[in-house]
Amino acid sequence: MTPPASDWTPIAEEAERAARVLHPEPNSLPRPDQRRVLTVANQKGGVGKTTSAVNLAAALAVHGLKTLVIDLDPQGNASTALNVDHRSGTPSIYDVLLGDLPLGEAMAVSEQSPNLFCVPATIDLAGAEIELVEVPSRESRLKEALTGEVVDQLGVDYVFIDCPPSLGLLTVNAMVAAREVLIPIQCEYYALEGLGQLLSNIELVQKHLNPGLSVSTILLTMYDGRTKLADQVTAEVRDHFGDVVLKTVIPRNVKVSEAPSYGQTVLAYDPGSRGAMSYVDAARELAERGSSNGSRRGTL
């Protein structure tokens, strides 16, 4: 409920925004027609890839959609943001990929929402690409793990696979396991650097390993409205990629940067912040595009 004009203060406004984020209306976001598996990829580091994966997942989970984050980056930053144990020896995606553990046994529930699950990454994952070289069907290990009954029994609506900032075997596994690629692009000068190589790799995976893969979503991140450059990059990306780009833009926001150091997503750390509200809006767009009642846009 919005406070009366006479009682308005910046703190009251932020509290009201936080309440809307943490206590959304029931069933305000549509369930997808079928489980959506999205690989969040960009080989360029520092573009908001992990941040976007965990905060989109958290926003969907708050709205009642069961969401799984698979941390496929040896740094384990997604696991940190979801406050899931990822010390060496913890059951993790490494054990799943090497065939030693079913996906369900490596899955943990994030304390931030009963609808938010995570398969963590430990430092052991750093050597996985070398170990997988001799493994049969090495590009399909994650896909095989995701087709298990455990994920079906959980009734997961969304799976976000957070990739490392590279185009190696782990990222290829993520693309083979998914039907959609979500690419975060920062609103800065080098935004499109290396993007051509990423799109070429996606085309190779489409051609040889996963014909159903497509780039369904591009999310603009780190937008600074004080600079002309941010507007120029935004316009250029929209002109080039069209409706694949979400209307919502994620602003540069200190709360988004601070949240992982507290083992939280920005929705848990400061739900009334601009960063949290932007990720909720982006999650709403994403959900509406995945529903038969929504406005699914084109793909690349």
Side-chain angles (χ1 to χ4, degrees), residues 25 31 42 100 116 136 245 247 299:
E25 295 179 11
R31 297 199 109 79
N42 192 329
D100 299 328
L116 186 55
V245 186
K247 293 178 181 177
T299 57

Side-chain angles (χ1 to χ4, degrees), residues 74-133:
Q75 297 178 79
N77 292 334
S79 308
T80 298
L82 297 174
N83 200 24
V84 172
D85 187 9
H86 59 108
R87 293 170 293 183
S88 183
T90 303
S92 69
I93 194 62
Y94 169 80
D95 305 298
V96 174
L97 291 175
L98 270 295
D100 299 328
L101 199 69
L103 188 76
E105 294 185 24
M107 201 181 296
V109 183
S110 171
E111 63 182 20
Q112 297 176 44
S113 170
N115 294 316
L116 186 55
F117 303 86
C118 177
V119 178
T122 63
I123 193 61
D124 303 318
L125 191 60
E129 297 209 11
I130 297 173
E131 295 179 61
L132 284 170
V133 168

